[in-house]
Amino acid sequence: METLLHDLRFATRVLLKSPGFTAIAVLTLALGIGANCAIFSVVNAMLIQSLPFRDPDRLMWVWDVQPQLEQAPASYPEFVDWRNMNQVFEQMAAGRGANFNLTGTGDPERLPGYSVTANFFQMVGINPELGRAFLPGEDKPGNDQVVLLSSNLWRRRFGSDPAILGKTISLNGKSYYVIGVIPPMSAMLTSAEVFTPLGLDVTKTDRGTHFLNVVARLRQGTSMSQAQANMGTVAAQLKKQYSTNHDIRVARLREVLVGDVRRLLLVLFATVGFVLFIACTNVANLQLARANSRQKELSIRLALGASRWRVVRQWLTESALLALLGGSLGVLMAYWGVRSVTTLQIRGIPTLNHVGLDGTVLVFTLGLSLLAGFLFGLMPALHSSKPNLSDSLKEGSRGSSLGSGHRSTRSLLMVNEVAMALVLLVCAGLMIRSFQRLMRVQPGFDPENVLTLRVNLPVSKYSDDQKQSSFYRQVLERIEILPGVVSAGLINNLPLGGGDTNGDFQIEGAPPWPTNDGPMTEDYVTSPNYFQAMRIPLLKGRLFTDRDNFGAPNVSVINEAFARRVWPNQDPLGKRIQIGWPTSNWLTIVGVVGDVKHEGLDQAPMLQAYVPYLQGLEPAMTLVVRTQTNPLNLVNDVRNQILAVDKDQPVFNVKPLVEVRSESVLQKQLTMIMLALFAAVALILACVGIYGVVSYSAGQRTHEIGIRMALGAGQGDVLGLIIRQGMLLVTIGILIGAAASLLLTRFIRSLLFGVSATDPLIFSAISLLLAIVALFACYIPARRATRVDPVVALRCE
């Protein structure tokens, strides 16, 4: 221990004597270690740590598999059949998202909610923080007027008052008894702030309407394969009973929650690993340069009897101290980075609020710092501990006793730096090009100058279609006459907004589908002016009018994909379809509009059918307002017109449509930005490394340069000699990096859109960019070397 403390004190003095080197090395390592710490904190929370539920490995997500959808929600009758017919699950529970208006306690507020079966929390293993969960039977119609609050809502709105239990709150105009408070761990499943019983009657629910998320718990000792086989048998029985072609898929809950994020996180983790390796390579090069200047000191210690291991240990101690300093600064950088990322609500990624720098992350960072110190310290330590004592101890020695092996090591490190930097730059280039292609995709509507806002009418207050239609009609009439408003419309689920409704449909007079089950259609409820407000083009027929109301014949407008798939080379106008269960009304097609990308810019449009809101109104609708100028300028005016119709009606999700489009690609944008950022850091570090190697090499050849210039070599000859030497190493690194990129970019293929993982344009452009930057990094020290006075250079021996 005493020897270790002595080594640490000596290492501290050595590093303080070289503040410039120490600062550069610590900052370089902080960038690499901090990036790894930040990404690992996310990887740890999502891929490594156990889910905060009881026996999470036995929790399964159960999907309905449809002809056009591999992962679809279930209908309530399907869920009941699955629950009653399976033999592999202890319990099955289901839930659906919902919106609630909280009134009567301060300003009206819209709250995200989740309606679940009574056994949901008990099955998942979430115990209330206060009070109790739902009891059996409380999810039946008429017994469902109880509510659970999220911990966040309880603290924010009710001041953490335990007396809230037993009190009533008004949600959507109905009174609910507060029975408990749910802890934050539920946010892994849903970001809801209120939880209510599902309250459905299976005899009154359409089997063709799919909206339920189904979670199940495996019986003890049952495997995934057994569960899948049993649910396959259940699906086969339901196919015969109901003449459908729906299958059932079982997946682990973690896989569903993480989804495609797993590959993204692993790619980013590999990326920051490359950045750290480049940072270590750079510091190793700096250490090798310092080793040359410290040869006399080290030689004296060896000559006085110090063992080689003693010198190696001292060198590794200095490296470890550097790494720990870099790791400490890296943790601060990671803390800032994680706080920034956790504020984002990224579609497709579970809530990031639980991500943080916990003990596991800190231990990982400590281990990574020590490993980095060993990696960048070992090679300089081995080289510096075996000098030529005779040359090193000569008076006036230039400290070049490390010889050709030293130069070869630095050259090899430089080649590795260039190769790894090229791999990261290629990946970043592919992501940037992919994102550019994605943003050029036409969504089927014009998002510019459109304001969107969500309204959710409480059914208790607006109990029938007439009351709901009266509210929305008054709102539209008031908003359309506002100065600066071009047009206004309604839709139940906004394109790219993350919501959709799909169901089966039938064609009047058509034979059964080959699969004995019709394809799925996305169905939307819209007002007459919705298409004008969104600038969705009319291709054939007409759009809705105010005459398409409750007393008129039921009509529908379909998209081009629907017409092309169902009636190829035919006129769809006048044809009739039935959406949902056979008890639904037949809809006459009166128009065809352009395809709209509702699911995502990178998703092909599905079959889409629109119905007029006066024939199929829903309580929750999104208002779209096309304006002449910046839509945010009209937010208060629009909100005031809604409050003028109903002063208790909250408005939420107020944002321009361009922001909705941006949020739909936020995950891909964040991936692109992070890869580009890490690649830029790698490029800078590689340039610094190239500069250092070429500069050191030129310094070692000062005597040779002096001789060449004394014999008549010009500055251009010397400049070309040094640049050729540096660019030869760069070229080797680029070739190795290009070969590695061809192998590694296939791992990001699923993250790309419209771009090949081996795009020759990207490979060529990135290689050229790296070569130009490297040429500049070689030119500066080469140019400086040509200014050496030959007389001074010849005195260097």
Side-chain angles (χ1 to χ4, degrees):
M1 179 60 70
E2 182 179 351
T3 304
L4 177 60
L5 292 176
H6 177 271
D7 287 345
L8 285 172
R9 287 194 295 268
F10 184 80
T12 303
R13 289 198 301 269
V14 170
L15 295 179
L16 289 176
K17 286 175 62 178
S18 305
F21 160 79
T22 303
I24 293 173
V26 168
L27 181 59
T28 300
L29 292 170
L31 289 172
I33 296 174
N36 276 269
C37 176
I39 297 300
F40 179 76
S41 67
V42 182
V43 171
N44 177 57
M46 294 192 174
L47 303 184
I48 300 176
Q49 280 186 346
S50 177
L51 294 176
F53 310 123
R54 177 172 57 86
D55 294 333
D57 291 339
R58 291 168 55 199
L59 290 176
M60 303 291 137
W61 198 287
V62 187
W63 296 105
D64 181 61
V65 180
Q66 302 169 2
Q68 296 183 23
L69 291 173
E70 293 185 1
Q71 297 180 349
S75 67
Y76 186 62
E78 282 179 328
F79 162 71
V80 173
D81 288 336
W82 296 355
R83 184 180 61 189
N84 295 337
M85 297 171 67
N86 88 85
Q87 299 175 348
V88 290
F89 297 120
E90 288 181 358
Q91 294 186 67
M92 296 187 79
R96 64 178 299 184
N99 293 314
F100 295 93
N101 295 338
L102 176 64
T103 56
T105 57
D107 295 333
E109 181 181 357
R110 174 264 183 185
L111 298 175
Y114 209 65
S115 297
V116 298
T117 53
N119 67 328
F120 182 84
F121 294 106
Q122 183 270 333
M123 189 210 71
V124 173
I126 298 178
N127 297 317
E129 183 177 331
L130 183 71
R132 65 171 178 85
F134 299 128
L135 297 177
E138 285 185 331
D139 56 353
K140 302 299 181 183
N143 299 330
D144 56 352
Q145 299 307 112
V146 290
V147 65
L148 291 163
L149 308 180
S150 73
S151 177
N152 176 60
L153 178 65
W154 178 51
R155 288 175 169 81
R156 175 176 58 82
R157 188 76 186 233
F158 300 100
S160 302
D161 183 7
I164 189 67
L165 296 181
K167 292 185 177 180
T168 60
I169 60 174
S170 178
L171 297 175
N172 289 346
K174 290 184 178 180
S175 294
Y176 286 80
Y177 288 95
V178 178
I179 61 172
V181 176
I182 295 298
M185 68 175 66
S186 63
M188 278 292 292
L189 294 172
T190 171
S191 58
E193 296 206 275
V194 291
F195 299 87
T196 61
L198 196 56
L200 294 178
D201 185 341
V202 68
T203 63
K204 299 179 181 179
T205 309
D206 187 357
R207 177 172 288 271
T209 303
H210 301 78
F211 54 88
L212 281 180
N213 298 318
V214 178
V215 184
R217 179 175 292 278
L218 280 176
R219 293 184 186 276
Q220 192 74 40
T222 303
S223 66
M224 272 277 297
S225 58
Q226 290 173 322
Q228 184 61 68
N230 179 249
M231 294 308 292
T233 302
V234 171
Q237 294 173 355
L238 293 177
K239 287 179 183 180
K240 293 180 181 179
Q241 184 175 352
Y242 295 102
S243 299
T244 66
N245 193 36
H246 290 200
D247 289 312
I248 304 171
R249 176 172 171 252
V250 179
R252 295 195 181 278
L253 179 62
R254 178 186 288 279
E255 294 176 1
V256 175
L257 294 179
V258 174
D260 294 335
V261 179
R262 175 186 297 273
R263 180 173 291 258
L264 166 62
L265 291 177
L266 294 179
V267 167
L268 290 177
F269 199 36
T271 299
V272 295
F274 271 52
V275 172
L276 178 59
F277 200 88
I278 294 173
C280 290
T281 302
N282 248 11
V283 177
N285 265 326
L286 290 173
Q287 290 275 58
L288 284 170
R290 286 182 71 242
N292 186 63
S293 65
R294 295 177 61 188
Q295 277 305 296
K296 180 166 290 188
E297 168 212 331
L298 297 172
S299 297
I300 292 174
R301 296 182 65 184
L302 290 167
L304 292 176
S307 66
R308 187 185 181 193
W309 162 242
R310 185 70 179 83
V311 173
V312 169
R313 189 180 68 186
Q314 179 61 53
W315 201 272
L316 290 178
T317 302
E318 294 177 21
S319 299
L321 184 57
L322 271 178
L324 290 175
L325 291 173
S328 300
L329 181 58
V331 168
L332 294 178
M333 293 181 175
Y335 176 75
W336 172 82
V338 169
R339 287 197 62 184
S340 300
V341 172
T342 53
T343 61
L344 300 176
Q345 295 296 322
I346 305 173
R347 189 187 305 175
I349 298 183
T351 178
L352 298 173
N353 293 334
H354 63 292
V355 176
L357 305 185
D358 58 12
T360 302
V361 176
L362 294 179
V363 170
F364 167 82
T365 306
L366 175 62
L368 186 66
S369 300
L370 294 176
L371 176 62
F374 179 79
L375 288 176
F376 71 74
L378 181 61
M379 193 174 295
L382 294 177
H383 276 272
S384 63
S385 64
K386 197 176 181 180
N388 186 320
L389 295 181
S390 177
D391 290 342
S392 298
L393 294 175
K394 286 179 181 178
E395 186 68 29
S397 170
R398 292 184 297 116
S400 60
S401 62
L402 294 179
S404 60
H406 188 176
R407 291 192 293 271
S408 298
T409 300
R410 289 174 62 86
S411 298
L412 179 61
L413 292 175
M414 172 178 158
V415 169
N416 288 335
E417 270 192 293
V418 172
M420 288 186 288
L422 182 72
V423 172
L424 295 188
L425 287 168
V426 166
C427 291
L430 290 172
M431 290 301 300
I432 292 172
R433 187 168 174 81
S434 171
F435 189 74
Q436 289 175 337
R437 291 277 182 89
L438 183 65
M439 294 307 292
R440 292 196 190 109
V441 171
Q442 295 299 321
F445 56 87
D446 180 8
E448 299 295 330
N449 292 337
V450 176
L451 179 68
T452 70
L453 57 157
R454 190 80 170 161
V455 177
N456 183 30
L457 297 180
V459 178
S460 59
K461 186 174 184 178
Y462 296 89
S463 55
D464 56 53
D465 291 341
Q466 295 295 335
K467 292 180 179 179
Q468 294 174 13
S469 63
S470 174
F471 171 86
Y472 283 118
R473 186 185 294 111
Q474 292 181 65
V475 167
L476 288 175
E477 289 174 353
R478 286 173 170 272
I479 291 176
E480 285 179 332
I481 62 174
L482 286 174
V485 172
V486 177
S487 57
L490 295 167
I491 187 169
N492 58 335
N493 287 305
L494 190 67
L496 304 180
D500 64 81
T501 304
N502 63 76
D504 301 319
F505 71 93
Q506 301 293 328
I507 304 168
E508 186 180 40
W513 296 91
T515 59
N516 198 32
D517 190 24
M520 306 295 294
T521 179
E522 295 175 340
D523 51 281
Y524 301 99
V525 178
T526 66
S527 66
N529 285 342
Y530 168 76
F531 299 101
Q532 291 92 329
M534 296 288 284
R535 291 183 178 169
I536 299 173
L538 175 65
L539 305 181
K540 184 178 292 186
R542 69 172 179 87
L543 299 175
F544 302 136
T545 68
D546 288 333
R547 291 189 296 274
D548 297 315
N549 52 34
F550 297 112
N554 296 96
V555 296
S556 176
V557 168
I558 61 174
N559 69 330
E560 187 178 13
F562 196 123
R564 187 170 55 248
R565 164 74 187 277
V566 180
W567 294 286
N569 304 317
Q570 297 183 46
D571 185 358
L573 299 183
K575 299 290 197 308
R576 297 213 303 169
I577 60 174
Q578 186 184 59
I579 299 176
W581 204 235
T583 56
S584 302
N585 295 319
W586 285 97
L587 310 175
T588 302
I589 297 172
V590 297
V592 178
V593 296
D595 294 331
V596 173
K597 290 184 175 290
H598 272 265
E599 295 297 313
L601 294 177
D602 57 345
Q603 302 293 319
M606 287 188 60
L607 279 61
Q608 297 160 359
Y610 302 87
V611 296
Y613 83 117
L614 293 179
Q615 293 182 352
L617 194 62
E618 294 187 4
M621 300 288 284
T622 296
L623 182 67
V624 294
V625 183
R626 178 164 294 280
T627 64
Q628 296 174 346
T629 58
N630 185 348
L632 292 178
N633 295 335
L634 290 175
V635 170
N636 290 332
D637 292 338
V638 171
R639 192 192 303 270
N640 289 336
Q641 295 306 316
I642 294 174
L643 294 177
V645 178
D646 185 347
K647 63 180 178 60
D648 293 325
Q649 181 58 49
V651 175
F652 56 98
N653 286 358
V654 181
K655 61 186 68 173
L657 188 55
V658 290
E659 185 176 332
V660 175
R661 182 184 63 176
S662 298
E663 289 177 352
S664 71
V665 296
L666 184 57
Q667 178 180 334
K668 293 183 179 295
Q669 185 180 26
L670 181 62
T671 305
M672 176 200 69
I673 291 173
M674 295 184 73
L675 273 177
L677 178 62
F678 295 143
V681 171
L683 178 62
I684 294 171
L685 293 176
C687 288
V688 172
I690 294 169
Y691 172 86
V693 170
V694 175
S695 179
Y696 176 80
S697 176
Q700 292 295 97
R701 301 177 66 180
T702 301
H703 183 67
E704 173 194 340
I705 292 171
I707 294 175
R708 288 178 178 273
M709 297 183 71
L711 293 176
Q715 290 187 346
D717 298 324
V718 175
L719 186 70
L721 176 67
I722 297 175
I723 289 179
R724 281 196 301 273
Q725 180 187 26
M727 290 305 295
L728 175 62
L729 298 176
V730 170
T731 302
I732 295 173
I734 288 177
L735 292 176
I736 295 174
S741 297
L742 289 173
L743 295 175
L744 297 176
T745 51
R746 62 191 179 92
F747 291 106
I748 66 169
R749 186 177 293 125
S750 64
L751 303 177
L752 302 177
F753 174 79
V755 179
S756 168
T758 57
D759 189 326
L761 179 62
I762 294 295
F763 274 69
S764 301
I766 293 300
S767 299
L768 180 61
L769 170 65
L770 184 55
I772 292 174
V773 174
L775 179 61
F776 183 72
C778 292
Y779 174 81
I780 296 175
R783 181 66 178 171
R784 187 172 60 247
T786 61
R787 297 174 180 172
V788 173
D789 187 337
V791 176
V792 176
L794 291 173
R795 293 175 182 169
C796 289
E797 276 294 340

